[in-house]
């Protein structure tokens, strides 16, 4: 019983003040982080370079424009059929 009452009498600094002083921390620097994927139209258009004619036609079966999305950042690029045909030649 004496041990229990002794422990109850010794309060931590946090219990006394509500502030944790066990670790002294200070801000060293501020850093600003910016996510930049690095994708562009040309890089994303490379996915079309190895398509055979059948798959190429399949992509454009609903019209003369398709959209390709960057797998990293999600930016969407629109391509016209003739634009890709010229680039792949």
């Amino acid at each position: 019983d004496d041990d229990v009452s002794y422990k109850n009498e010794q309060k931590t600094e946090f219990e006394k003040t509500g502030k944790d002083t066990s670790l002294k921390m200070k801000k060293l620097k501020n850093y600003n982080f910016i996510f930049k994927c690095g994708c562009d139209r040309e890089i994303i258009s490379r996915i079309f370079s190895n398509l055979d004619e059948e798959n190429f036609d399949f992509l454009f079966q609903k019209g003369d424009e398709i959209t390709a999305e960057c797998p990293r950042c999600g930016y969407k690029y629109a391509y016209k059929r003739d634009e890709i045909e010229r680039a792949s030649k």
Side-chain angles (χ1 to χ4, degrees), residues 61-72:
Q61 67 184 354
K62 292 185 180 179
D64 285 337
E65 186 172 294
I66 58 171
T67 303
E69 184 175 327
C70 174
R72 291 185 191 101

Side-chain angles (χ1 to χ4, degrees), residues 39 44 47-48 67-79:
C39 69
I44 299 299
I47 62 173
F48 306 116
T67 303
E69 184 175 327
C70 174
R72 291 185 191 101
C73 68
Y75 192 86
K76 294 179 181 175
Y77 295 92
Y79 298 94

Side-chain angles (χ1 to χ4, degrees), residues 10-11 29 33 45 53 68 72 74 76-77 80-84:
Q10 288 189 343
K11 292 185 177 183
K29 288 185 179 182
F33 293 95
S45 70
E53 192 171 333
R72 291 185 191 101
K76 294 179 181 175
Y77 295 92
K80 295 197 180 284
R81 182 183 186 115
D82 61 341
E83 175 184 14
I84 295 173

Side-chain angles (χ1 to χ4, degrees), residues 3-4 11 15 18 21 25 28 33 39 41 50-51 61 72 77 83 85:
D3 285 338
V4 173
K11 292 185 177 183
E15 291 171 323
T21 57
M25 297 188 341
L28 298 175
F33 293 95
C39 69
R41 270 184 89 64
N50 293 325
L51 290 176
Q61 67 184 354
R72 291 185 191 101
Y77 295 92
E83 175 184 14
E85 286 174 333

Side-chain angles (χ1 to χ4, degrees), residues 6-48:
Y6 176 73
K7 286 183 180 180
N8 287 338
E9 290 173 12
Q10 288 189 343
K11 292 185 177 183
T12 65
E13 187 68 23
F14 179 74
E15 291 171 323
K16 291 179 194 173
T17 64
K19 296 179 182 176
D20 186 4
T21 57
S22 62
L23 295 175
K24 304 261 187 216
M25 297 188 341
K26 65 179 183 174
K27 184 179 0 179
L28 298 175
K29 288 185 179 182
N30 281 337
Y31 289 97
N32 293 322
F33 293 95
I34 298 172
F35 173 77
K36 183 170 179 351
C37 176
C39 69
D40 63 21
R41 270 184 89 64
E42 184 180 337
I43 291 171
I44 299 299
S45 70
R46 291 179 191 160
I47 62 173
F48 306 116

